[in-house]
Amino acid sequence: MKKLIFLICIVVALIASSSEFDIDAILKDGGKSESVGSIKLNKFKKDSKKSYSKLSKEFHDKYEYEVSSKAVAKNSYCFNYNIKNDNDKNFCLAFANNDKSYCFSLPDREKNICLGYCFDTTLSKADKAFCLALKNNSINYCYDYNLKGYYKAMCLGRFNKNNCFTINNEKYKNMCLGISLQ
């Protein structure tokens, strides 16, 4: 009964007061035990923290987590010991992690391809075709007659990693596997 009266008093105080009120004064218990009825406050706090942590983790895993195991595997190709040049590594990581921020540390030609600025006049016809394939996610650009050798294989490897294994150079093979969609 005391709890019901206490609750009614709080509601009345909230309704009657249009200005701020002192919640600490309302909830002040005057040194009473932490057990209210059959609920033990310490156990309630501990259980609620545990439930919140579990719910938070489930929400993160289901809705916020973006890096898949495929991305981690693709990322590892970019750190292959044959890829010694940071520019090549960053180009590879931009596509392995789907994060264009890696593009900004590259020289102009590679940066433009990485960012999808395919109509820059400094790009060769082969660079433009490769850039358009990456930008538009279309394998059709890989069949441009200007793309030859490992460059064509890297372009085709973007859409089917099996094409990467036709490259004899280990550096370019690993870069190809890192930028591959599969």
Side-chain angles (χ1 to χ4, degrees):
M1 187 65 163
K2 289 181 184 179
K3 291 179 190 175
L4 182 61
I5 293 172
F6 179 71
L7 183 62
I8 292 171
C9 289
I10 290 175
V11 172
V12 169
L14 287 173
I15 293 171
S17 172
S18 61
S19 63
E20 291 185 30
F21 58 92
D22 186 6
I23 191 75
D24 292 329
I26 294 171
L27 297 177
K28 194 172 188 178
D29 62 358
K32 294 180 183 175
S33 71
E34 289 191 19
S35 178
V36 179
S38 63
I39 298 175
K40 296 190 180 195
L41 294 180
N42 283 338
K43 182 167 177 18
F44 178 76
K45 286 179 186 178
K46 185 178 175 182
D47 290 345
S48 64
K49 283 181 184 178
K50 195 183 299 183
S51 295
Y52 175 78
S53 295
K54 182 180 176 186
L55 181 63
S56 178
K57 182 182 179 334
E58 287 174 4
F59 180 84
H60 178 269
D61 291 347
K62 188 170 184 180
Y63 297 107
E64 294 176 343
Y65 185 73
E66 293 180 13
V67 179
S68 68
S69 60
K70 288 182 181 180
V72 172
K74 286 180 13 177
N75 188 328
S76 66
Y77 288 115
C78 302
F79 289 102
N80 184 281
Y81 67 93
N82 290 301
I83 303 176
K84 295 178 174 89
N85 183 331
D86 283 339
N87 293 336
D88 293 335
K89 191 176 293 178
N90 286 333
F91 186 86
C92 182
L93 288 169
F95 292 97
N97 294 335
N98 195 25
D99 182 357
K100 297 293 180 165
S101 65
Y102 288 100
C103 301
F104 293 104
S105 65
L106 301 173
D108 288 341
R109 177 190 152 269
E110 292 169 348
K111 178 170 53 175
N112 289 334
I113 294 170
C114 186
L115 292 172
Y117 302 144
C118 304
F119 294 101
D120 181 3
T121 56
T122 62
L123 296 179
S124 69
K125 290 179 181 178
D127 288 341
K128 189 183 294 186
F130 186 67
C131 180
L132 287 168
L134 294 173
K135 179 182 179 184
N136 297 317
N137 278 331
S138 173
I139 197 169
N140 296 331
Y141 293 102
C142 299
Y143 296 109
D144 185 294
Y145 68 92
N146 293 300
L147 281 173
K148 294 176 176 62
Y150 80 89
Y151 212 30
K152 182 173 187 166
M154 280 187 70
C155 185
L156 293 169
R158 168 75 172 158
F159 305 97
N160 184 346
K161 70 179 178 184
N162 292 331
N163 290 299
C164 300
F165 296 108
T166 65
I167 302 173
N168 290 330
N169 184 309
E170 288 298 313
K171 170 184 155 183
Y172 294 118
K173 183 188 297 182
N174 283 289
M175 282 181 66
C176 179
L177 290 166
I179 70 169
S180 175
L181 290 171
Q182 296 179 353

